[in-house]
Amino acid sequence: MDPRRVSRTVIDPMVRTVGFNAPGAPPPPQPHQSIQSGTAESVAGLVSSSPPSVSDIDPVGNSLSPVMIPPPNHASVVPLPGAVPTQMSPLRMNDSRTGSYSPLESLLETLSPRSRVNVSEFADETTVLGLIGKSGRGILEKTASSLPVSNGELMEAATVGGRSLRMTSNLTKVSVVNMPMDIPGIEFIEKGKGASVDVQKERESGGKKLKEKTSKAERRAIQEAQRAAKASAKNAGTASKNPKQQPKIAKNSQKKDNLQIPSKSLASEKNDAERLLEKDRKRDGSLVPQPRMQFDDKHRVEKAKRRSVVNRCEARNIVELFRHLPQYVHGTQLPELESKFFKLDAIHPSVYKVGMQYLTGDVMGGNARCMAMLLAFRDAIKDYSTPSEKTLVRDLTAKIGSYVSFLIECRPLSISMGNAIRFLKNRIAKLPVTLSEAEAKINLQSDIDHFINEKIVIADKAIVEHAITKISDGDVLLTHGSSCVVEMILLSAFEQGKQFRVIIVDSRPKLEGKMLLRRLIAKGLSCTYTHINAISYIMHEVTRVFLGAASVLCNGAVYSRVGTACVAMVAHAFRVPVMICCEAYKFETRVQLDSICSNELGDPNAISKVPGRKDLNHLENWSDSENLQLLNLTYDATPSDYISMIITDYGMVPPTSVPVIVREYCREQIWI
Amino acid sequence: MWRRSASFVVDNRIDPLSPSDSTTFDQEQNPITHEGIGIGIPPVISAYYQTRTEHHAVVTSDWLAQSQKAAVDGTGMETPPAERAVAAGTGRKGFRVTDEFNYWRKKPDLAEAVAAIMALSSVIKCSEATTMMELEGELKEASNSLKAWDATSISLTAGCDLFMRYVTRTSALEYENFESAKSRLMDRGEKFGEISLKARKAIALLGQDFIFEGCTILVHGFSRVVLEVLKLAAENGKLFRVLCTEGRPDRTGLRFSKELASIGVSVKLLIDCAVAYTMDEVDMVFFGADGVVESGGIINMMGTYQIALVAHSMNKPVYVAAESYKFARLFPLDQKDLTPALRPIDFGVPIPSGVEVETSARDYTPPKYLTLLFTELGVLTPSVVSDELIQLYL
């Protein structure tokens, strides 16, 4: 029937499960299932129980066995294509603790030596979003977050989360580190950036990476040489050019050493010694238990602070589980940044402006942030000219990379932005060499326009068209927070003359729903406004729940404004269909099971203060008290069980079909 | 749900008794008078239901009246109207796609989707279009009129969509000229009947693996695919027992049990209310489907949902046998999110005045209550349906 399906034979019983197994990747093992399972039996294992004797007569099934036999090692760990070779790496061999083998432990173990060498900082983990190859991250994150988490093991889960982030950053950086080994002396910044975008290489290298590493002795020799070079440069008294503009450069100590620029004035002898100590400590890291979180390591945090453009407050009193997340404080350093404006010559003014808007919260919402960023990049590309003795492809990629890391300092990237950056970098990398600079720039600008138009504007229209078919007269629609797509849906349904009522559920501290409420009321819709505390009461009368999303993950989970999971859960309990409206460019290959691994912390003051209530504001000096921690999460992950349908530009699909969309369209999304 | 809440202010509900657009449309199309129900409102019967009654030989009073009427009308249905039109030389003018569809639909072995495709391919036959675009326009028009003729039928819509999809894909292919492309499309349409029969065979081959020696199978309604599966299993010498629900008010179960008994399978009839009572001894439940929707759930004869619920709660596997042309790009959120297919219900005694009767003929079973789908594409979990649909239509 389908011409694309010619090769498929009709007779063999094939049991195919969609979702949760990436194409090409090994299938997820079915836990608690015997290896000798035939077709029918494994089918029975997959779904509800079937009589055991089904497997007794199964003539075809055993020979064809479409359901893959689970790997014999451990049921709960997804086999990691990247991880398997690393177990053979010399680092692993040296590890004296090989005796006690637990898959989980060894997995982290094999991946961690690298990250122990690295000095990571918060900029890293989010930069990675834009830089790293999809496959590598997908696998790693999936492994990390699919590790079994029981209630009692939450702490452990947090560790895993922290590590998973580090593992990811690790992946990108390995290639970066490798480059200067081959050709030292070339200016590193550019190279590093260029290399980190080399996604293709990333993917292939998967397992090879650790093998490529030089031995300890070699590395030390190189470092010694570089240190000597740097010292001499400092003695020569070269002006201390602050590498603030490229905070990414200094991501790990090794990289920093490679820098030919004399490092900032702060780098005193003492610092050097300190770093040496630290490095040594890390080098023996395979024996020492790894530091748990990135953000409780004072060295790293300090280093990051020195480097960053945006000053951050001390992150005090963070809830233990969320120490791995960067603490952001908005709006306080505006004057300081303004004063820096003329010093930051490397950052284009429109990028700077967008960064400020992120920082102050003027631009919020996945689509708005993504569009603002892309438009700023377009401006930057317009004003860009290639420096002499540099190629456009490399230099521009590096430029964009530095812009991105600046934006990350202002606020962590959203997944939509990550995807857009990946798209842009891909386009730059794919530019034909023959193109002149002017042509290339025009090409890129039109690509950006294309992306905005196709992936956001037209996609939204398509979503609205689909969603409207699900609104009928007499409906009571509930929405949470303020999603621009949902607003478009409600407005155009209203314009079509449908009779319905809207309930806007809002939550502290952002109270985004108020803005939505104002706009809807102005158009004449009949609305009810309530806070999330009343959700279980109000859900009685609701017939449909429409929610927006920051991202939809590959396991069907929805990553969205905090509170969404709660609304979806209550709706599910009341058997009200929950519809998620999300453009396909926000889909993610990653899998996340909880809201801990990757999240964003908001301003804790926002929840400690209640405007207009003096009697409640006794938490003013909360940061002084040791035994009080405030947690203001920005996002949460809604499990796919609570979601009836995801409305994308490609139609209405069940949450199980997200991987299909990702598989079928994400390639095109990048290439367009 | 919202009716319960006191805070519901906007009260402009539609009067449930006033006929909706689709029902009046059906009435125009099928002016069937019915005397079974005592009250004055003429019952509405969807065309979908008529097809079912013909295919499944449901004996009801209205069906008898209809067949009698058809007998009086004469034997005008022996050749397809398209051929008659071509023979008469009237070409496109004297041809209506709905007539053609009705002709094919009356064939007992032909599914509705196939009938729709046959009708559309005969549109190509009669067409005087000279370009692909023109032909596509004509086909679009025809398929729209077919869909409008019976908005309630899912497989009809799915069949039309499928063929249109095929046409648009073909036009992109490089054929040397228009004529060859046209004949290719026609071939395709004609082959479809064959394919549909083959699909049933393939499904039977796949499905019979799941029937094991000595098992007890519960079936609901009359499904030709399920019958094929059971037949094949019986031919292969497997011993099994079938429990048939009665299938009120069509009594489709009666016919199904008759078919099974004639091939020597031991059958037991149940009244529809006895499903939960007998579920303990059931090993698996088999359903056919009118349509498989994007969520992976099925739309099938009334009662399917509750049997699936009972089976699910007792951990019995629920298997659905359906050809892939029944996959439809629909996504019902709940039971009311469908165009209802209405039918008459004969209670045997007059219904007290002022009592409403639920006349919907089918329900929607969500995917979480289904175990596996047997299609000619393979044995699928419900979530793959959407995968297939995305690949087919996008």
Side-chain angles (χ1 to χ4, degrees):
Chain A
M1 201 165 300
D2 185 347
R4 276 200 263 169
R5 230 167 254 301
V6 268
S7 61
R8 188 185 274 182
T9 48
V10 182
I11 324 133
D12 56 330
M14 287 186 302
V15 181
R16 296 205 296 138
T17 10
V18 75
F20 312 122
N21 42 357
Q30 273 101 47
H32 320 300
Q33 206 179 321
S34 60
I35 300 165
Q36 64 270 26
S37 60
T39 321
E41 202 190 357
S42 48
V43 162
L46 264 177
V47 273
S48 66
S49 80
S50 87
S53 41
V54 174
S55 59
D56 295 346
I57 32 149
D58 186 18
V60 206
N62 282 333
S63 56
L64 294 166
S65 188
V67 176
M68 279 64 69
I69 294 161
N73 52 0
H74 195 280
S76 66
V77 172
V78 181
L80 240 196
V84 178
T86 56
Q87 290 188 359
M88 312 304 169
S89 73
L91 282 167
R92 177 73 196 154
M93 300 294 219
N94 293 339
D95 193 354
S96 57
R97 291 193 307 163
T98 30
S100 64
Y101 178 77
S102 117
L104 161 65
E105 208 183 326
S106 73
L107 194 65
L108 293 171
E109 203 63 48
T110 49
L111 289 164
S112 52
R114 189 65 244 166
S115 57
R116 274 177 212 132
V117 180
N118 291 336
V119 180
S120 306
E121 49 136 314
F122 37 79
D124 301 359
E125 52 192 55
T126 23
T127 330
V128 164
L129 280 180
L131 304 180
I132 195 168
K134 260 190 298 181
S135 59
R137 180 181 41 179
I139 291 159
L140 278 177
E141 297 258 346
K142 199 191 291 181
T143 329
S145 46
S146 63
L147 295 166
V149 179
S150 75
N151 281 336
E153 292 172 339
L154 272 178
M155 288 307 294
E156 201 183 349
T159 323
V160 169
R163 280 183 189 178
S164 85
L165 287 174
R166 226 163 309 132
M167 277 188 271
T168 21
S169 52
N170 189 14
L171 248 186
T172 27
K173 259 169 282 158
V174 169
S175 70
V176 176
V177 171
N178 284 337
M179 294 296 281
M181 308 286 181
D182 305 332
I183 324 153
I186 298 180
E187 196 173 334
F188 182 70
I189 315 160
E190 182 197 334
K191 277 193 59 75
K193 299 264 160 72
S196 62
V197 195
D198 200 350
V199 175
Q200 203 55 42
K201 193 192 159 185
E202 279 292 304
R203 285 188 195 150
E204 298 167 357
S205 57
K208 280 183 275 173
K209 261 170 236 153
L210 286 180
K211 282 179 191 161
E212 281 167 17
K213 263 188 300 177
T214 45
S215 75
K216 211 186 267 184
E218 276 171 327
R219 263 182 285 147
R220 176 162 291 201
I222 291 167
Q223 280 170 356
E224 227 82 88
Q226 283 159 348
R227 199 168 295 134
K230 194 164 63 181
S232 65
K234 206 192 322 177
N235 290 340
T238 330
S240 62
K241 175 89 179 105
N242 201 332
K244 270 175 190 169
Q245 297 91 331
Q246 287 96 1
K248 264 188 62 200
I249 322 159
K251 242 178 251 169
N252 60 42
S253 55
Q254 217 171 342
K255 243 204 272 182
K256 206 189 272 173
D257 290 340
N258 280 333
L259 284 174
Q260 296 303 311
I261 330 164
S263 79
K264 40 207 161 134
S265 50
L266 292 156
S268 61
E269 287 297 314
K270 186 192 150 226
N271 249 353
D272 262 339
E274 205 179 277
R275 201 184 303 137
L276 203 78
L277 257 174
E278 193 185 336
K279 221 174 286 161
D280 279 334
R281 189 163 55 93
K282 274 188 210 106
R283 206 165 286 146
D284 308 329
S286 52
L287 298 174
V288 183
Q290 205 189 344
R292 275 188 54 237
M293 302 300 172
Q294 283 170 301
F295 284 87
D296 30 12
D297 190 326
K298 282 206 176 98
H299 291 290
R300 297 173 194 193
V301 174
E302 244 166 61
K303 229 169 251 166
K305 272 183 77 180
R306 255 184 267 126
R307 223 173 298 124
S308 61
V309 179
V310 183
N311 270 347
R312 287 186 198 82
C313 293
E314 282 287 335
R316 288 159 300 185
N317 302 13
I318 306 179
V319 178
E320 192 79 359
L321 259 181
F322 294 91
R323 288 251 165 107
H324 62 286
L325 298 174
Q327 178 69 54
Y328 275 80
V329 180
H330 298 276
T332 48
Q333 47 265 92
L334 206 58
E336 201 182 339
L337 268 172
E338 269 166 2
S339 65
K340 277 184 192 164
F341 182 77
F342 293 104
K343 291 182 208 158
L344 300 167
D345 50 319
I347 290 172
H348 190 272
S350 19
V351 177
Y352 193 82
K353 183 179 147 200
V354 170
M356 291 302 100
Q357 282 171 333
Y358 290 168
L359 196 69
T360 51
D362 283 352
V363 176
M364 282 204 292
N367 282 344
R369 276 170 71 193
C370 186
M371 272 162 89
M373 181 192 71
L374 283 175
L375 290 175
F377 283 172
R378 200 185 61 175
D379 280 356
I381 288 172
K382 203 164 116 195
D383 298 340
Y384 171 82
S385 62
T386 320
S388 55
E389 292 171 18
K390 281 184 184 172
T391 55
L392 177 125
V393 173
R394 293 205 153 192
D395 191 53
L396 188 58
T397 317
K399 263 256 163 27
I400 298 284
S402 71
Y403 294 160
V404 169
S405 43
F406 168 73
L407 292 181
I408 287 171
E409 277 182 37
C410 297
R411 196 181 158 185
L413 292 186
S414 68
I415 284 152
S416 56
M417 286 160 75
N419 283 342
I421 292 166
R422 198 178 312 150
F423 158 80
L424 182 61
K425 291 203 167 177
N426 240 308
R427 296 305 302 187
I428 296 173
K430 288 280 177 295
L431 279 177
V433 193
T434 51
L435 237 52
S436 74
E437 191 186 307
E439 281 172 331
K441 276 161 63 181
I442 288 170
N443 261 9
L444 287 177
Q445 287 174 47
S446 75
D447 278 340
I448 291 178
D449 284 338
H450 222 72
F451 187 90
I452 293 178
N453 191 36
E454 221 158 81
K455 296 289 164 194
I456 304 179
V457 178
I458 295 181
D460 279 347
K461 277 185 190 145
I463 291 174
V464 168
E465 229 163 75
H466 288 298
I468 275 188
T469 60
K470 291 293 164 205
I471 301 177
S472 46
D473 285 346
D475 264 346
V476 179
L477 313 176
L478 182 139
T479 184
H480 172 254
S482 164
S483 156
C484 60
V485 194
V486 172
E487 185 184 342
M488 283 160 77
I489 292 166
L490 297 176
L491 287 179
S492 68
F494 182 72
E495 277 158 21
Q496 285 188 12
K498 298 202 173 181
Q499 301 287 316
F500 63 93
R501 219 159 52 91
V502 183
I503 294 172
I504 297 169
V505 175
D506 210 351
S507 56
R508 287 246 313 133
K510 288 209 163 151
L511 298 177
E512 290 166 307
K514 278 192 176 172
M515 301 297 288
L516 176 68
L517 180 73
R518 202 182 67 189
R519 291 191 292 263
L520 291 186
I521 294 281
K523 296 268 171 164
L525 275 81
S526 120
C527 295
T528 305
Y529 178 83
T530 180
H531 270 226
I532 201 162
N533 318 17
I535 187 85
S536 64
Y537 165 73
I538 208 81
M539 200 53 89
H540 273 292
E541 49 188 282
V542 175
T543 56
R544 302 266 188 273
V545 175
F546 281 97
L547 297 171
S551 174
V552 177
L553 309 172
C554 236
N555 58 346
V558 169
Y559 188 67
S560 188
R561 172 74 65 227
V562 70
T564 304
C566 172
V567 173
M569 210 179 294
V570 175
H572 179 78
F574 280 82
R575 299 184 50 80
V576 179
V578 178
M579 283 166 279
I580 303 289
C581 309
C582 183
E583 300 86 356
Y585 85 102
K586 290 181 185 171
F587 283 26
E588 249 268 299
T589 42
R590 204 160 47 107
V591 167
Q592 196 175 325
L593 296 179
D594 52 35
S595 316
I596 302 167
C597 292
S598 133
N599 210 323
E600 192 183 326
L601 293 181
D603 185 2
N605 284 321
I607 50 170
S608 66
K609 282 182 189 138
V610 186
R613 287 288 298 273
K614 274 194 184 141
D615 51 327
L616 287 181
N617 285 343
H618 51 262
L619 286 178
E620 295 267 290
N621 301 319
W622 61 274
S623 52
D624 295 339
S625 103
E626 279 291 314
N627 53 359
L628 171 65
Q629 295 145 353
L630 296 180
L631 177 63
N632 180 11
L633 279 181
T634 313
Y635 294 104
D636 63 13
T638 312
S640 61
D641 305 354
Y642 303 132
I643 296 158
S644 330
M645 171 196 284
I646 293 171
I647 305 177
T648 76
D649 24 341
Y650 298 113
M652 300 177 278
V653 297
T656 48
S657 287
V658 175
V660 183
I661 299 262
V662 170
R663 188 216 308 148
E664 297 278 315
Y665 300 105
C666 269
R667 267 167 285 140
E668 297 161 33
Q669 197 167 309
I670 285 170
W671 315 131
I672 279 203
Chain B
M1 197 167 276
W2 42 267
R3 274 168 238 246
R4 266 184 301 171
S5 169
S7 77
F8 186 75
V9 216
V10 186
D11 198 3
N12 37 11
R13 276 170 278 167
I14 312 139
D15 187 1
L17 280 178
S18 72
S20 68
D21 286 346
S22 68
T23 53
T24 48
F25 188 75
D26 280 344
Q27 269 176 309
E28 279 165 29
Q29 289 290 331
N30 320 296
I32 300 161
T33 49
H34 184 71
E35 55 293 315
I37 299 168
I39 37 177
I41 311 152
V44 218
I45 305 162
S46 74
Y48 150 80
Y49 181 71
Q50 290 174 33
T51 317
R52 275 190 73 84
T53 50
E54 275 160 40
H55 282 178
H56 305 159
V58 181
V59 185
T60 55
S61 51
D62 62 285
W63 182 76
L64 275 177
Q66 205 187 349
S67 61
Q68 264 170 0
K69 206 171 127 215
V72 172
D73 279 353
T75 51
M77 287 296 184
E78 265 158 10
T79 49
E83 274 168 35
R84 273 184 288 143
V86 171
T90 46
R92 232 192 125 225
K93 305 284 179 297
F95 167 75
R96 279 180 60 210
V97 67
T98 42
D99 293 342
E100 178 76 19
F101 171 67
N102 272 323
Y103 164 77
W104 287 111
R105 159 177 101 91
K106 301 236 154 56
K107 299 237 167 181
D109 252 354
L110 234 47
E112 217 171 23
V114 183
I117 286 164
M118 299 297 242
L120 287 179
S121 68
S122 62
V123 169
I124 301 177
K125 207 181 286 172
C126 297
S127 156
E128 285 148 3
T130 49
T131 62
M132 210 61 197
M133 281 304 280
E134 210 176 321
L135 185 65
E136 244 183 273
E138 271 178 35
L139 275 176
K140 193 142 215 155
E141 198 182 304
S143 90
N144 282 344
S145 69
L146 264 186
K147 281 190 210 165
W149 182 79
D150 182 5
T152 53
S153 172
I154 292 149
S155 53
L156 170 61
T157 317
C160 286
D161 285 348
L162 198 67
F163 194 69
M164 287 310 293
R165 188 73 202 150
Y166 182 75
V167 170
T168 44
R169 277 201 184 163
T170 311
S171 60
L173 299 176
E174 289 298 317
Y175 277 99
E176 54 270 40
N177 56 28
F178 171 68
E179 281 305 316
S180 67
K182 189 172 157 182
S183 66
R184 173 105 179 82
L185 285 177
M186 256 145 60
D187 282 357
R188 182 77 189 175
E190 316 252 289
K191 265 193 203 141
F192 225 88
E194 240 174 84
I195 290 172
S196 106
L197 289 178
K198 265 193 201 151
R200 245 172 248 165
K201 292 261 181 330
I203 292 168
L205 220 54
L206 290 174
Q208 63 104 26
D209 282 346
F210 287 80
I211 297 172
F212 55 89
E213 205 75 23
C215 67
T216 307
I217 302 167
L218 179 74
V219 293
H220 179 65
F222 186 98
S223 160
R224 282 165 290 186
V225 198
V226 173
L227 185 61
E228 196 79 31
V229 174
L230 297 180
K231 259 187 188 164
L232 188 71
E235 275 166 23
N236 289 355
K238 286 182 180 170
L239 281 175
F240 56 93
R241 205 158 64 107
V242 177
L243 304 180
C244 275
T245 56
E246 181 197 6
R248 278 270 300 151
D250 312 348
R251 300 195 179 83
T252 44
L254 285 173
R255 167 138 187 252
F256 199 75
S257 57
K258 192 184 115 201
E259 297 270 347
L260 282 177
S262 69
I263 55 168
V265 176
S266 68
V267 195
K268 194 181 193 179
L269 260 178
L270 313 170
I271 53 169
D272 292 326
C273 338
V275 169
Y277 171 78
T278 47
M279 193 55 85
D280 264 340
E281 52 182 299
V282 169
D283 290 315
M284 63 188 78
V285 181
F286 260 91
F287 293 132
D290 288 338
V292 181
V293 296
E294 195 144 10
S295 60
I298 57 165
I299 293 170
N300 197 25
M301 182 186 156
M302 187 63 92
T304 305
Y305 182 34
Q306 66 195 30
I307 294 175
L309 275 173
V310 172
H312 182 79
S313 70
M314 299 202 187
N315 283 338
K316 310 286 179 184
V318 177
Y319 300 132
V320 176
E323 300 92 332
S324 68
Y325 56 72
K326 284 176 178 166
F327 288 11
R329 290 216 77 191
L330 281 174
F331 203 135
L333 289 165
D334 47 39
Q335 303 298 330
K336 305 283 171 195
D337 200 14
L338 289 167
T339 330
L342 303 175
R343 64 169 173 197
I345 298 178
D346 189 4
F347 283 94
V349 286
I351 295 157
S353 62
V355 173
E356 241 184 286
V357 179
E358 175 62 66
T359 54
S360 186
R362 60 190 181 190
D363 58 19
Y364 163 64
T365 311
K368 71 170 173 184
Y369 302 114
L370 307 178
T371 310
L372 287 173
L373 294 160
F374 304 152
T375 73
E376 77 269 21
L377 305 174
V379 179
L380 314 176
T381 56
S383 57
V384 184
V385 173
S386 149
D387 185 355
E388 297 291 337
L389 279 168
I390 287 170
Q391 295 197 3
L392 201 60
Y393 284 105
L394 289 177

